[in-house]
Amino acid sequence: MTEAILLVGGKGTRLRPLTVHTPKPMVRAAGVPFLTHQLARAKAAGVDHIVLATSYLAEVFEPYFGDGSALGLHIEYVTEDEPLGTGGAIRNVASRLRSAPDDPVLVFNGDILTGLDIGRLVATHETTGADVSLHLTKVTDPRAYGLVPTDGTGKVLAFLEKPQTPEEIVTDQINAGAYVFRRSVIDTIPQGRAVSVERETFPDLLSAGAHLQGMVDSTYWLDLGTPAAFVRGSADLVLGRAPSPAVPGRCGDRLVLPTAMVAPDAKLTGGTVVGEGAFVAEGARVFGSTILPGAVIEPGAVITDSLIGARARVGERSVLTGTVIGDGAIVGPDNELRDGARVWCDARIPAGAVRFSSDQ
Protein backbone atom coordinates (compact mmCIF):
# COMPACT_ATOMS: atom_id res chain seq x y z
CA MET A 1 0.00 0.00 0.00
CA THR A 2 1.61 3.23 -1.10
CA GLU A 3 -1.10 5.74 -1.96
CA ALA A 4 -4.43 7.05 -0.79
CA ILE A 5 -7.16 9.57 -1.58
CA LEU A 6 -8.59 11.74 1.19
CA LEU A 7 -11.99 13.30 0.52
CA VAL A 8 -11.86 16.72 2.18
CA GLY A 9 -14.15 18.84 0.01
CA GLY A 10 -17.32 18.97 2.13
CA LYS A 11 -18.73 22.28 3.38
CA GLY A 12 -19.30 20.96 6.91
CA THR A 13 -22.68 22.66 7.15
CA ARG A 14 -23.70 20.63 10.23
CA LEU A 15 -20.64 21.99 12.03
CA ARG A 16 -21.29 25.68 11.46
CA PRO A 17 -20.18 28.13 12.83
CA LEU A 18 -16.95 26.10 13.25
CA THR A 19 -16.68 25.86 9.47
CA VAL A 20 -17.49 29.47 8.54
CA HIS A 21 -13.80 30.33 8.19
CA THR A 22 -12.29 26.84 8.34
CA PRO A 23 -13.00 23.70 6.29
CA LYS A 24 -14.10 20.81 8.47
CA PRO A 25 -10.89 18.73 8.15
CA MET A 26 -8.88 21.78 9.29
CA VAL A 27 -10.85 22.39 12.50
CA ARG A 28 -8.53 21.57 15.39
CA ALA A 29 -9.01 18.33 17.27
CA ALA A 30 -6.57 17.57 20.11
CA GLY A 31 -4.52 20.62 19.21
CA VAL A 32 -3.96 20.08 15.48
CA PRO A 33 -6.19 20.17 12.37
CA PHE A 34 -8.25 16.97 12.34
CA LEU A 35 -6.79 16.05 8.95
CA THR A 36 -3.37 15.75 10.61
CA HIS A 37 -4.56 12.70 12.55
CA GLN A 38 -5.77 10.99 9.38
CA LEU A 39 -2.54 11.73 7.52
CA ALA A 40 -0.44 10.44 10.42
CA ARG A 41 -2.42 7.18 10.65
CA ALA A 42 -2.13 6.66 6.90
CA LYS A 43 1.63 7.23 7.10
CA ALA A 44 1.90 4.75 9.99
CA ALA A 45 0.12 2.15 7.81
CA GLY A 46 2.72 2.49 5.06
CA VAL A 47 1.08 5.07 2.79
CA ASP A 48 3.54 7.54 1.28
CA HIS A 49 1.55 9.31 -1.47
CA ILE A 50 -1.75 11.03 -0.67
CA VAL A 51 -4.02 13.05 -2.96
CA LEU A 52 -6.35 15.47 -1.20
CA ALA A 53 -9.65 16.01 -3.03
CA THR A 54 -10.53 19.56 -1.98
CA SER A 55 -13.35 21.99 -2.73
CA TYR A 56 -14.69 24.22 0.06
CA LEU A 57 -12.03 26.72 1.25
CA ALA A 58 -9.52 24.67 -0.74
CA GLU A 59 -6.90 27.39 -0.47
CA VAL A 60 -6.15 26.70 3.22
CA PHE A 61 -4.85 23.13 2.89
CA GLU A 62 -1.63 23.53 0.92
CA PRO A 63 -0.23 26.49 2.92
CA TYR A 64 -0.53 24.35 6.07
CA PHE A 65 0.66 20.92 4.85
CA GLY A 66 2.78 21.93 1.86
CA ASP A 67 4.18 18.95 -0.03
CA GLY A 68 3.74 16.72 3.03
CA SER A 69 7.46 16.20 3.61
CA ALA A 70 7.20 17.33 7.24
CA LEU A 71 4.95 14.31 7.81
CA GLY A 72 7.08 11.97 5.71
CA LEU A 73 4.50 12.02 2.91
CA HIS A 74 4.12 13.29 -0.62
CA ILE A 75 0.83 15.24 -0.74
CA GLU A 76 -0.88 16.51 -3.88
CA TYR A 77 -3.99 18.69 -4.09
CA VAL A 78 -6.84 18.56 -6.59
CA THR A 79 -9.65 21.13 -6.31
CA GLU A 80 -13.14 20.58 -7.71
CA ASP A 81 -14.59 23.45 -9.71
CA GLU A 82 -18.06 22.33 -8.66
CA PRO A 83 -19.18 19.71 -6.08
CA LEU A 84 -18.80 16.21 -7.49
CA GLY A 85 -19.92 14.00 -4.59
CA THR A 86 -17.83 11.21 -3.11
CA GLY A 87 -17.52 9.17 -6.29
CA GLY A 88 -16.98 12.17 -8.55
CA ALA A 89 -14.24 13.44 -6.24
CA ILE A 90 -12.44 10.08 -6.36
CA ARG A 91 -12.63 10.01 -10.18
CA ASN A 92 -11.52 13.65 -10.39
CA VAL A 93 -8.14 12.89 -8.78
CA ALA A 94 -7.47 9.63 -10.66
CA SER A 95 -4.91 11.23 -12.98
CA ARG A 96 -2.65 11.89 -9.98
CA LEU A 97 -2.49 8.24 -8.96
CA ARG A 98 0.62 6.22 -9.76
CA SER A 99 -0.74 2.74 -9.09
CA ALA A 100 -0.95 -0.06 -11.65
CA PRO A 101 -4.46 -1.25 -12.65
CA ASP A 102 -4.59 -4.08 -10.08
CA ASP A 103 -2.96 -2.14 -7.23
CA PRO A 104 -4.94 -1.15 -4.13
CA VAL A 105 -5.80 2.51 -3.53
CA LEU A 106 -7.01 3.55 -0.08
CA VAL A 107 -9.87 6.07 0.15
CA PHE A 108 -10.87 7.91 3.35
CA ASN A 109 -13.77 10.20 4.15
CA GLY A 110 -12.36 13.34 5.74
CA ASP A 111 -14.68 13.45 8.75
CA ILE A 112 -14.26 10.01 10.34
CA LEU A 113 -12.19 9.41 13.47
CA THR A 114 -11.37 5.74 13.66
CA GLY A 115 -9.01 3.18 15.10
CA LEU A 116 -9.34 1.07 11.94
CA ASP A 117 -6.54 -1.43 11.33
CA ILE A 118 -5.69 -0.10 7.86
CA GLY A 119 -3.21 -2.89 7.16
CA ARG A 120 -5.83 -5.53 7.91
CA LEU A 121 -8.30 -3.87 5.51
CA VAL A 122 -5.70 -3.89 2.74
CA ALA A 123 -4.75 -7.50 3.51
CA THR A 124 -8.43 -8.51 3.39
CA HIS A 125 -8.76 -6.78 0.02
CA GLU A 126 -5.78 -8.60 -1.43
CA THR A 127 -6.46 -12.07 -0.03
CA THR A 128 -10.11 -12.05 -1.17
CA GLY A 129 -9.31 -10.62 -4.62
CA ALA A 130 -12.00 -7.96 -4.18
CA ASP A 131 -12.66 -5.10 -6.57
CA VAL A 132 -13.56 -2.84 -3.65
CA SER A 133 -13.26 -3.54 0.07
CA LEU A 134 -15.19 -1.55 2.67
CA HIS A 135 -14.59 -0.94 6.33
CA LEU A 136 -17.81 -1.81 8.16
CA THR A 137 -18.62 -1.12 11.77
CA LYS A 138 -21.53 -2.15 13.97
CA VAL A 139 -23.81 0.46 15.57
CA THR A 140 -26.66 0.21 18.05
CA ASP A 141 -29.04 2.40 16.03
CA PRO A 142 -28.29 2.13 12.29
CA ARG A 143 -31.19 4.28 11.04
CA ALA A 144 -28.98 7.29 10.26
CA TYR A 145 -26.51 5.27 8.20
CA GLY A 146 -26.20 3.15 5.09
CA LEU A 147 -26.58 -0.55 5.94
CA VAL A 148 -24.25 -3.10 4.35
CA PRO A 149 -25.34 -6.73 4.86
CA THR A 150 -22.75 -9.41 4.04
CA ASP A 151 -22.71 -13.18 3.69
CA GLY A 152 -20.71 -15.59 5.84
CA THR A 153 -17.50 -14.88 3.93
CA GLY A 154 -17.86 -11.08 4.16
CA LYS A 155 -19.01 -10.55 0.57
CA VAL A 156 -21.35 -7.56 0.33
CA LEU A 157 -24.94 -8.49 -0.53
CA ALA A 158 -26.60 -5.08 -0.80
CA PHE A 159 -26.46 -1.38 0.05
CA LEU A 160 -29.45 -0.06 1.95
CA GLU A 161 -29.49 3.69 2.53
CA LYS A 162 -30.88 4.96 5.86
CA PRO A 163 -33.71 2.51 6.67
CA GLN A 164 -36.98 4.07 7.82
CA THR A 165 -38.91 1.05 9.15
CA PRO A 166 -37.93 -1.81 11.49
CA GLU A 167 -38.36 -4.27 8.60
CA GLU A 168 -35.66 -2.46 6.63
CA ILE A 169 -33.08 -2.88 9.39
CA VAL A 170 -31.63 -6.19 8.26
CA THR A 171 -28.17 -5.70 9.81
CA ASP A 172 -26.33 -3.52 12.30
CA GLN A 173 -23.35 -3.22 9.93
CA ILE A 174 -22.83 0.22 8.39
CA ASN A 175 -20.52 1.75 5.84
CA ALA A 176 -17.76 3.29 7.97
CA GLY A 177 -16.26 5.53 5.28
CA ALA A 178 -12.93 3.86 4.44
CA TYR A 179 -12.38 1.81 1.31
CA VAL A 180 -9.74 0.01 -0.74
CA PHE A 181 -10.34 0.24 -4.50
CA ARG A 182 -8.68 -1.79 -7.20
CA ARG A 183 -7.08 1.02 -9.20
CA SER A 184 -8.84 0.05 -12.43
CA VAL A 185 -12.27 0.32 -10.75
CA ILE A 186 -11.72 4.03 -10.08
CA ASP A 187 -11.44 4.59 -13.84
CA THR A 188 -14.96 3.20 -14.35
CA ILE A 189 -16.57 5.99 -12.30
CA PRO A 190 -18.21 8.55 -14.63
CA GLN A 191 -16.11 11.68 -15.08
CA GLY A 192 -17.15 15.31 -14.90
CA ARG A 193 -20.41 14.95 -12.97
CA ALA A 194 -21.58 14.40 -9.41
CA VAL A 195 -21.46 10.75 -8.36
CA SER A 196 -22.14 9.17 -4.96
CA VAL A 197 -20.15 6.02 -4.23
CA GLU A 198 -22.73 5.04 -1.62
CA ARG A 199 -25.83 5.49 -3.79
CA GLU A 200 -24.50 4.90 -7.30
CA THR A 201 -21.00 3.44 -7.62
CA PHE A 202 -21.23 0.60 -5.10
CA PRO A 203 -24.78 -0.54 -6.01
CA ASP A 204 -23.91 -0.42 -9.74
CA LEU A 205 -20.75 -2.47 -9.19
CA LEU A 206 -22.73 -5.02 -7.22
CA SER A 207 -25.37 -5.25 -9.97
CA ALA A 208 -22.62 -5.77 -12.53
CA GLY A 209 -21.26 -8.74 -10.58
CA ALA A 210 -18.20 -7.09 -9.08
CA HIS A 211 -16.74 -8.49 -5.87
CA LEU A 212 -17.27 -6.07 -2.99
CA GLN A 213 -15.84 -7.27 0.30
CA GLY A 214 -16.83 -6.03 3.74
CA MET A 215 -14.50 -6.13 6.74
CA VAL A 216 -16.02 -5.50 10.15
CA ASP A 217 -13.65 -3.63 12.44
CA SER A 218 -15.37 -2.54 15.64
CA THR A 219 -12.54 -0.52 17.15
CA TYR A 220 -13.10 3.16 17.89
CA TRP A 221 -15.29 4.88 15.26
CA LEU A 222 -16.93 8.30 15.30
CA ASP A 223 -18.53 10.44 12.59
CA LEU A 224 -17.43 13.99 13.42
CA GLY A 225 -20.27 15.63 11.51
CA THR A 226 -21.88 17.44 14.45
CA PRO A 227 -20.38 19.87 16.98
CA ALA A 228 -21.10 17.49 19.87
CA ALA A 229 -19.35 14.63 18.06
CA PHE A 230 -16.38 16.82 17.13
CA VAL A 231 -15.88 17.94 20.72
CA ARG A 232 -16.15 14.35 21.92
CA GLY A 233 -13.67 13.16 19.30
CA SER A 234 -11.10 15.74 20.31
CA ALA A 235 -11.47 14.79 23.98
CA ASP A 236 -11.17 11.08 23.14
CA LEU A 237 -7.92 11.75 21.28
CA VAL A 238 -6.50 13.56 24.30
CA LEU A 239 -7.69 10.84 26.68
CA GLY A 240 -6.14 8.15 24.47
CA ARG A 241 -9.44 6.46 23.68
CA ALA A 242 -9.02 7.24 19.98
CA PRO A 243 -5.55 6.36 18.67
CA SER A 244 -3.43 8.91 16.79
CA PRO A 245 0.32 9.40 16.47
CA ALA A 246 -0.31 13.11 15.82
CA VAL A 247 -1.49 14.21 19.29
CA PRO A 248 1.07 16.92 20.22
CA GLY A 249 1.76 15.74 23.74
CA ARG A 250 1.11 12.93 26.18
CA CYS A 251 -2.41 11.56 26.48
CA GLY A 252 -4.19 12.45 29.69
CA ASP A 253 -6.91 14.59 31.23
CA ARG A 254 -5.75 17.76 29.54
CA LEU A 255 -3.61 19.06 26.71
CA VAL A 256 -2.22 22.58 27.01
CA LEU A 257 -0.45 23.78 23.89
CA PRO A 258 2.71 25.92 23.95
CA THR A 259 2.08 29.66 24.60
CA ALA A 260 -1.29 28.91 26.24
CA MET A 261 -1.69 30.24 29.78
CA VAL A 262 -3.71 28.52 32.49
CA ALA A 263 -4.16 29.96 35.99
CA PRO A 264 -2.83 27.67 38.73
CA ASP A 265 -6.27 27.15 40.30
CA ALA A 266 -8.16 26.64 37.02
CA LYS A 267 -9.38 23.06 36.61
CA LEU A 268 -9.05 21.29 33.25
CA THR A 269 -10.32 17.70 32.95
CA GLY A 270 -12.02 15.21 30.64
CA GLY A 271 -9.68 15.59 27.67
CA THR A 272 -9.81 19.38 27.53
CA VAL A 273 -7.55 21.15 25.01
CA VAL A 274 -6.26 24.70 25.40
CA GLY A 275 -4.85 26.02 22.13
CA GLU A 276 -1.86 28.25 21.47
CA GLY A 277 -2.15 31.72 22.92
CA ALA A 278 -5.40 30.96 24.76
CA PHE A 279 -5.91 31.98 28.38
CA VAL A 280 -7.91 30.24 31.11
CA ALA A 281 -8.28 32.51 34.14
CA GLU A 282 -8.41 31.77 37.83
CA GLY A 283 -11.28 29.71 39.17
CA ALA A 284 -12.44 28.60 35.72
CA ARG A 285 -13.49 24.97 35.25
CA VAL A 286 -13.32 23.33 31.85
CA PHE A 287 -14.40 19.72 31.25
CA GLY A 288 -14.14 17.77 27.99
CA SER A 289 -13.93 20.94 25.90
CA THR A 290 -11.78 22.51 23.20
CA ILE A 291 -10.48 26.05 23.63
CA LEU A 292 -9.12 27.16 20.26
CA PRO A 293 -6.07 29.42 19.83
CA GLY A 294 -6.32 32.93 21.24
CA ALA A 295 -9.57 32.37 23.14
CA VAL A 296 -10.04 33.78 26.64
CA ILE A 297 -11.94 32.10 29.48
CA GLU A 298 -12.53 34.63 32.24
CA PRO A 299 -12.53 33.96 36.01
CA GLY A 300 -15.12 31.56 37.37
CA ALA A 301 -16.50 30.44 34.00
CA VAL A 302 -17.66 26.83 33.81
CA ILE A 303 -17.43 25.13 30.40
CA THR A 304 -18.51 21.54 29.72
CA ASP A 305 -18.45 19.55 26.44
CA SER A 306 -18.15 22.75 24.41
CA LEU A 307 -15.96 24.31 21.76
CA ILE A 308 -14.75 27.89 22.09
CA GLY A 309 -13.63 29.39 18.77
CA ALA A 310 -10.40 31.16 17.98
CA ARG A 311 -10.09 34.57 19.69
CA ALA A 312 -13.51 34.16 21.33
CA ARG A 313 -14.14 35.26 24.91
CA VAL A 314 -16.31 33.75 27.64
CA GLY A 315 -17.13 36.17 30.45
CA GLU A 316 -16.84 35.76 34.20
CA ARG A 317 -19.13 33.19 35.83
CA SER A 318 -20.78 32.24 32.52
CA VAL A 319 -21.84 28.59 32.32
CA LEU A 320 -21.67 26.80 28.96
CA THR A 321 -22.77 23.20 28.42
CA GLY A 322 -22.73 21.49 25.02
CA THR A 323 -22.34 24.74 23.12
CA VAL A 324 -20.25 26.12 20.26
CA ILE A 325 -18.88 29.65 20.32
CA GLY A 326 -17.77 30.91 16.90
CA ASP A 327 -14.45 32.59 16.15
CA GLY A 328 -14.18 36.05 17.66
CA ALA A 329 -17.52 35.89 19.49
CA ILE A 330 -17.94 37.38 22.96
CA VAL A 331 -20.18 35.87 25.62
CA GLY A 332 -20.51 38.42 28.40
CA PRO A 333 -20.44 37.61 32.12
CA ASP A 334 -23.21 35.70 33.91
CA ASN A 335 -24.75 34.00 30.86
CA GLU A 336 -25.98 30.42 30.68
CA LEU A 337 -25.91 28.52 27.37
CA ARG A 338 -27.10 24.96 27.15
CA ASP A 339 -26.94 21.93 24.85
CA GLY A 340 -27.15 22.77 21.18
CA ALA A 341 -26.56 26.50 21.45
CA ARG A 342 -24.40 27.97 18.68
CA VAL A 343 -23.10 31.52 18.92
CA TRP A 344 -22.05 32.82 15.52
CA CYS A 345 -18.64 34.23 14.67
CA ASP A 346 -18.03 37.75 16.03
CA ALA A 347 -21.44 37.85 17.76
CA ARG A 348 -21.79 39.71 21.08
CA ILE A 349 -23.95 38.50 23.98
CA PRO A 350 -24.26 41.16 26.72
CA ALA A 351 -23.79 40.34 30.40
CA GLY A 352 -26.62 38.21 31.81
CA ALA A 353 -28.56 38.28 28.53
CA VAL A 354 -29.21 34.52 28.20
CA ARG A 355 -30.16 32.36 31.17
CA PHE A 356 -31.99 29.13 32.00
CA SER A 357 -32.23 29.86 35.71
CA SER A 358 -32.77 32.80 38.03
CA ASP A 359 -30.03 35.42 38.19
CA GLN A 360 -29.95 35.10 41.97
Side-chain angles (χ1 to χ4, degrees):
M1 169 58 60
T2 61
E3 64 183 351
I5 299 169
L6 265 167
L7 304 177
V8 293
K11 290 185 175 181
T13 51
R14 290 184 296 159
L15 279 177
R16 286 169 69 87
L18 296 179
T19 50
V20 170
H21 301 130
T22 308
K24 177 167 52 176
M26 295 299 286
V27 177
R28 288 175 179 253
V32 296
F34 173 67
L35 179 56
T36 310
H37 300 290
Q38 291 186 306
L39 293 172
R41 283 185 52 77
K43 165 67 174 160
V47 174
D48 59 20
H49 178 224
I50 294 183
V51 185
L52 296 187
T54 67
S55 179
Y56 176 65
L57 296 176
E59 66 276 8
V60 309
F61 292 94
E62 190 166 2
Y64 188 91
F65 291 107
D67 63 2
S69 57
L71 294 171
L73 294 165
H74 177 224
I75 298 177
E76 294 189 66
Y77 305 83
V78 177
T79 301
E80 300 169 10
D81 295 324
E82 56 187 51
L84 294 173
T86 48
I90 293 168
R91 182 66 179 87
N92 192 49
V93 307
S95 63
R96 303 294 184 92
L97 298 174
R98 306 164 177 172
S99 303
D102 285 336
D103 286 346
V105 177
L106 200 62
V107 178
F108 289 115
N109 281 346
D111 54 1
I112 301 296
L113 177 59
T114 176
L116 167 67
D117 184 338
I118 297 170
R120 180 170 160 244
L121 180 63
V122 175
T124 297
H125 176 80
E126 293 180 328
T127 57
T128 60
D131 295 298
V132 181
S133 297
L134 299 87
H135 170 209
L136 308 180
T137 193
K138 294 177 180 288
V139 295
T140 304
D141 183 358
R143 287 175 297 178
Y145 303 98
L147 307 190
V148 186
T150 55
D151 68 12
T153 68
K155 286 187 71 171
V156 173
L157 300 174
F159 291 90
L160 309 170
E161 278 299 314
K162 297 181 180 178
Q164 302 302 311
T165 66
E167 292 75 26
E168 292 177 293
I169 302 176
V170 297
T171 181
D172 59 356
Q173 296 176 176
I174 66 164
N175 178 353
Y179 320 112
V180 180
F181 277 76
R182 187 190 302 270
R183 169 69 178 85
S184 57
V185 173
I186 291 176
D187 292 328
T188 68
I189 299 173
Q191 194 167 12
R193 69 170 176 87
V195 180
S196 164
V197 289
E198 300 86 357
R199 293 178 174 82
E200 182 176 345
T201 304
F202 292 157
D204 286 357
L205 285 169
L206 208 57
S207 297
H211 177 180
L212 277 70
Q213 185 74 20
M215 187 197 82
V216 176
D217 182 307
S218 295
T219 53
Y220 186 99
W221 185 87
L222 186 64
D223 176 352
L224 300 185
T226 66
F230 201 96
V231 170
R232 178 182 153 202
S234 177
D236 284 348
L237 283 162
V238 175
L239 292 165
R241 295 172 181 165
S244 169
V247 176
R250 295 177 62 183
C251 292
D253 243 10
R254 54 190 265 173
L255 176 63
V256 178
L257 276 292
T259 72
M261 296 178 60
V262 178
D265 66 341
K267 187 175 183 181
L268 311 177
T269 58
T272 287
V273 182
V274 183
E276 295 93 337
F279 176 58
V280 181
E282 60 271 14
R285 290 180 286 151
V286 188
F287 177 85
S289 298
T290 295
I291 314 299
L292 290 182
V296 175
I297 311 302
E298 295 187 354
V302 180
I303 299 173
T304 304
D305 298 337
S306 297
L307 192 146
I308 312 303
R311 305 173 308 284
R313 179 178 290 266
V314 177
E316 296 181 64
R317 298 173 302 280
S318 282
V319 178
L320 277 57
T321 303
T323 64
V324 174
I325 309 300
D327 296 342
I330 296 177
V331 178
D334 300 308
N335 281 288
E336 287 181 76
L337 301 177
R338 288 191 178 175
D339 292 328
R342 305 186 191 205
V343 177
W344 232 247
C345 299
D346 300 311
R348 303 288 187 270
I349 297 180
V354 179
R355 299 194 64 83
F356 288 81
S357 62
S358 166
D359 61 350
Q360 299 300 316

